[in-house]
Amino acid sequence: MNIRSLIPGIALLVCSIALADETCNSPYMTGLIKGQEDFIHVWTLGVSGVGDGSDKLVTIDVNPKSSKYGKLVHSVSVGERGESHHMGFTDDRKQLWAGGLDNNKIYVFDVGTDPAQPKLVKTIKDLGKHTGFLGPHTFYALPGRMLIATLSNTAKKDGVTGMALYNNNGDFIAKYPMPVGKLGTGTGDGYGYDIAINPARNAILTSSFAGWNNYMRDLGEVVGDPAAMKQFGNTMVMWDLKAMKPSQVFEVPGAPLEIRWSLKPGDNWAITATALTSKLWLIKQDAAGHWQAREVGTIGDPAKIPLPVDISIAADGKGLWVNTFMDGTTHYFDISNPEHPVETYAKQTGKQVNMISQSWDGKRVYITSSLLSKWDKKGADDEQFLRAYNWDGKELTLAFATDFKAAKLGRPHHMKFTARPAGTALAEL
Amino acid sequence: MRLRAFVTAAVAWLAAGGLDAATDPGRALAPRMEFVPPAAGTYELQRIQRAPDAELLDANANVRRLSGYTTQKITLLTFFYTYCVDPWGCPFAYQTLTGLRDRVIAEPQLASRVRFVSVSFDPTHDTPAALRQYGGRFMGDPRFEWQFLTARSVPELLPVLDGFGQDVRVEKDASGRPTRTMNHMLKMFLIDPEGVVREIYSLAYLQQPVMFNDIRTLALEEDSALAKAR
């Protein structure tokens, strides 16, 4: 066999297996999409009196070559309302796990068999029984299992919480409480929110938000209650991935939310945004290899509490989208130097905006509107939409929009991409 | 070209740059290791699931229960097919396994407690004779047990794949006909002597020093359990 003759074939094979789309998925996930995504699945909060009033997984065709481009193609109702919020793929990308922050349930959808028509195949109800945790938030794939960050606990419903581990069959394996007390240079508050793993560094990084008592309460009431405003997370935690043990607490005031590792090989940093203080924070190894966290930028005018929510990092680690909920603005930061992010673009994309997801090539950006059922704006400001934009590096141009109110769907929250499966299953031959 | 020579060339080519692109996600997913792994025995491996059981064929065409090869020893099991050329698939698995085998053999007391099991994705092509040709040099080595297994048919293999959560799809050509390329997520399953899967390694996680420490961690765990039972 001649190695030279194999190289074109090898190149094709590598392209076929090692591609990615949205840039925030688990590094353990397969079936990543570098090219055009076919569908977006939107985990949607049910609204009383709107449609069947239940939470649902909504599927929209987003391939411009499709005759159904921009159209709703499927919707699966779970038959109840439990504060749908985030979701995540299993490592084989066959299942999408979606959580209810209020009812503490996890809904497992089959998106591998036919992504155009996801099916609800399992509902996991034992999270609280096994862990005492409440509010499954981040679903992060490990090989053969799912690591879940939660927000609260069933006893006091405050922010002290932890992570739970299930296998892909939905069987509980273990729980990992968030650290409380002094650990390294910081003091753990026990709060949780997001998970992000860097396998090359044996690192899990977690962030912190608030418990059920806050996230299921009207936002205006929370802001007006000084005691409630003290019940937000102010920490991030570095964990030893192999040992699943916390190793360092960082003081990051103001509810650090979504975490994004730079995907550029060799990079040793992650970035996050704080909701209440409107800052960008960098978590990076110093020259001695020790992890350090420090504030590196400001998002909008913190005095106006723009409330940074979701962020999305470019595949090359040089750009970062940040949505601010209160002013409905989508910001783009140049983070070529992550120590000094520079805002280079901003556009109001709605009266309220929350989640933001980009394709791997960064050319397509999708935005949804809902934050939490009790935190969304009221009246005419309570827009509920998915908006798809094209990004040419200078301007966001609206490609299509789906009005979730007019379609009687509810409040759209988290988005995940799928593509039609390539090849043939072994069983079909 | 012999398999070992091909693997060396392919991996060297990729390490040197391979697909040169501004943002090549493939390289981002390639296994990197920029940390000192925790020492064996300082952590506990999770009990993920029981390893599934089935009847398979060994390289001598004997019908064997898979459970006979996933219990009594610490087992590292993976799926492969003999003609796979994807550099980050079976050839990389082969390189990882042979490297680990060398590490284990260097500790003879450990080597007798560990086995590798390679199960073919392709019962049609990978007959027992094909397995003997592919893995023969490892099968008869008295220093270390490495089993190569196949199934009598695809329907008999499917429950094993499902049970382990191992995905595989056959690539089609431009006219929609299946090719000889099987796209699969490279996974290795570390199984304890009780037949429980304790770790699963996919590509980003195939770090030989970590895997070796995991094997030693299971050995220490077994030692500790035996000591308590006495």
Side-chain angles (χ1 to χ4, degrees):
Chain A
M1 190 181 288
N2 184 326
I3 183 73
R4 186 176 293 276
S5 68
L6 278 170
I7 287 177
I10 291 169
L12 284 170
L13 282 163
V14 172
C15 287
S16 69
I17 60 160
L19 310 177
D21 63 341
E22 64 272 62
T23 55
C24 67
N25 281 313
S26 162
Y28 301 109
M29 212 175 73
T30 188
L32 299 169
I33 309 159
K34 184 179 183 182
Q36 174 66 52
E37 56 279 4
D38 288 322
F39 304 102
I40 279 190
H41 308 285
V42 187
W43 189 214
T44 302
L45 293 81
V47 176
S48 178
V50 175
D52 72 351
S54 295
D55 296 341
K56 50 184 65 67
L57 186 68
V58 172
T59 300
I60 294 171
D61 188 321
V62 294
N63 190 330
K65 292 182 179 175
S66 168
S67 61
K68 297 177 181 174
Y69 175 63
K71 306 293 186 193
L72 169 75
V73 294
H74 196 254
S75 175
V76 188
S77 172
V78 299
E80 58 187 334
R81 206 160 50 245
E83 194 70 21
S84 57
H85 202 73
H86 279 209
M87 51 188 178
F89 292 107
T90 48
D91 63 331
D92 56 11
R93 210 173 180 131
K94 289 181 177 176
Q95 293 183 341
L96 192 51
W97 290 36
L101 291 185
D102 186 29
N103 67 6
N104 219 15
K105 293 182 182 177
I106 298 163
Y107 304 95
V108 180
F109 297 94
D110 172 4
V111 292
T113 304
D114 181 0
Q117 300 184 67
K119 290 183 171 57
L120 178 64
V121 293
K122 186 175 294 180
T123 303
I124 299 170
K125 304 174 183 175
D126 60 6
L127 175 64
K129 183 185 85 173
H130 287 301
T131 65
F133 302 150
L134 169 64
H137 182 269
T138 295
F139 294 86
Y140 207 90
L142 295 175
R145 51 214 190 274
M146 184 70 83
L147 186 62
I148 304 166
T150 64
L151 298 184
S152 191
N153 62 79
T154 56
K156 295 182 178 177
K157 297 192 174 183
D158 59 16
V160 176
T161 190
M163 296 185 287
L165 186 67
Y166 282 76
N167 67 24
N168 282 0
N169 298 321
D171 302 320
F172 174 76
I173 298 174
K175 69 172 185 175
Y176 306 96
M178 301 302 293
V180 176
K182 189 79 173 172
L183 184 63
T185 57
T187 301
D189 53 20
Y191 281 43
Y193 182 80
D194 201 16
I195 299 170
I197 291 177
N198 185 333
R201 310 274 167 182
N202 190 38
I204 304 181
L205 193 55
T206 57
S207 55
S208 58
F209 176 48
W212 186 97
N213 292 334
N214 274 5
Y215 68 70
M216 287 306 294
R217 186 180 179 191
D218 183 88
L219 179 60
E221 290 182 20
V222 173
V223 172
D225 180 349
M229 289 303 288
K230 291 178 182 174
Q231 302 299 310
F232 282 93
N234 294 297
T235 59
M236 297 182 75
V237 180
M238 186 63 73
W239 299 67
D240 179 321
L241 167 62
K242 171 51 69 177
M244 289 302 293
K245 292 176 182 170
S247 56
Q248 167 75 45
V249 172
F250 307 106
E251 308 280 355
V252 183
L257 299 184
E258 317 295 333
I259 308 165
R260 303 288 178 257
W261 286 100
S262 171
L263 302 179
K264 185 180 173 187
D267 273 1
N268 61 345
W269 56 268
I271 197 163
T272 190
T274 54
L276 301 183
T277 47
S278 208
K279 299 291 184 182
L280 290 171
W281 280 71
L282 183 72
I283 297 87
K284 187 178 180 184
Q285 280 177 309
D286 61 21
H290 300 130
W291 294 102
Q292 308 287 352
R294 70 184 186 89
E295 181 189 318
V296 292
T298 299
I299 306 158
D301 179 359
K304 295 178 181 174
I305 312 180
L307 205 60
V309 275
D310 197 17
I311 62 178
S312 178
I313 194 167
D316 61 5
K318 293 181 178 176
L320 185 75
W321 290 105
V322 180
N323 270 352
T324 44
F325 179 79
M326 297 304 290
D327 57 9
T329 300
T330 299
H331 310 253
Y332 188 80
F333 286 83
D334 180 341
I335 55 170
S336 301
N337 178 357
E339 312 270 355
H340 299 286
V342 177
E343 183 175 313
T344 56
Y345 177 82
K347 178 181 184 128
Q348 186 174 23
T349 49
K351 291 179 176 173
Q352 57 183 5
V353 295
N354 185 25
M355 302 307 292
I356 181 163
S357 295
Q358 64 181 306
S359 54
W360 182 269
D361 59 14
K363 293 179 179 177
R364 295 171 300 284
V365 177
Y366 302 89
I367 292 169
T368 55
S369 51
S370 180
L371 176 51
L372 289 157
S373 63
K374 300 288 179 68
W375 287 28
D376 284 355
K377 294 181 178 179
K378 307 293 190 293
D381 286 345
D382 186 26
E383 291 181 333
Q384 297 298 346
F385 59 79
L386 164 77
R387 288 180 181 156
Y389 291 89
N390 293 318
W391 170 246
D392 61 3
K394 297 177 181 174
E395 181 63 38
L396 284 174
T397 305
L398 187 67
F400 74 83
T402 303
D403 185 332
F404 273 58
K405 272 190 171 176
K408 300 190 183 306
L409 295 169
R411 304 173 185 273
H413 193 88
H414 204 196
M415 298 167 277
K416 285 292 178 186
F417 303 164
T418 56
R420 295 183 189 281
T424 303
L426 209 53
E428 295 168 5
L429 290 177
Chain B
M1 179 182 283
R2 291 175 61 84
L3 180 61
R4 179 181 286 267
F6 165 70
V7 170
T8 304
V11 171
W13 172 73
L14 282 159
L19 296 172
D20 195 17
T23 55
D24 172 20
R27 283 188 292 183
L29 290 173
R32 299 174 67 99
M33 186 174 163
E34 296 166 48
F35 63 97
V36 177
T42 63
Y43 55 92
E44 187 174 358
L45 293 166
Q46 299 139 4
R47 288 169 170 76
I48 299 170
Q49 63 169 86
R50 287 208 69 79
D53 195 12
E55 285 189 344
L56 294 175
L57 293 177
D58 69 12
N60 294 314
N62 298 310
V63 176
R64 303 289 188 195
R65 291 217 69 87
L66 178 58
S67 55
Y69 299 116
T70 56
T71 56
Q72 307 301 317
K73 284 187 175 184
I74 298 163
T75 302
L76 190 61
L77 182 146
T78 192
F79 294 90
F80 80 111
Y81 59 111
T82 56
Y83 50 94
C84 171
V85 295
D86 169 2
W88 294 122
C90 310
F92 185 73
Y94 180 94
Q95 186 191 52
T96 302
L97 289 170
T98 52
L100 268 173
R101 174 180 173 274
D102 291 345
R103 289 172 189 255
V104 174
I105 286 175
E107 295 188 18
Q109 287 185 324
L110 181 63
S112 64
R113 301 167 65 181
V114 180
R115 75 161 73 84
F116 291 169
V117 176
S118 297
V119 181
S120 173
F121 280 118
D122 186 353
T124 306
H125 180 275
D126 290 343
T127 60
L131 297 183
R132 288 197 299 276
Q133 186 174 11
Y134 180 86
R137 65 181 285 254
F138 299 113
M139 290 179 197
D141 190 334
R143 297 172 301 167
F144 186 80
E145 181 184 357
W146 192 337
Q147 299 288 343
F148 291 82
L149 305 175
T150 191
R152 285 174 292 205
S153 65
V154 169
E156 290 193 6
L157 175 66
L158 290 175
V160 181
L161 297 174
D162 286 345
F164 277 105
Q166 174 66 64
D167 67 308
V168 60
R169 294 185 74 84
V170 179
E171 201 168 272
K172 292 190 232 177
D173 64 17
S175 57
R177 290 173 301 205
T179 69
R180 282 168 59 82
T181 298
M182 305 174 93
N183 286 323
H184 63 284
M185 183 180 200
L186 174 54
K187 284 183 173 177
M188 294 187 191
F189 302 85
L190 182 63
I191 304 165
D192 69 19
E194 303 298 318
V196 176
V197 177
R198 302 295 296 275
E199 186 55 282
I200 304 171
Y201 309 95
S202 56
L203 184 57
Y205 214 15
L206 283 170
Q207 300 152 329
Q208 284 187 39
V210 177
M211 298 173 77
F212 184 59
N213 279 0
D214 289 351
I215 290 170
R216 293 182 66 222
T217 293
L218 289 186
L220 290 168
E221 179 184 287
E222 190 181 24
D223 292 345
S224 176
L226 288 171
K228 284 179 184 172
R230 287 191 194 112

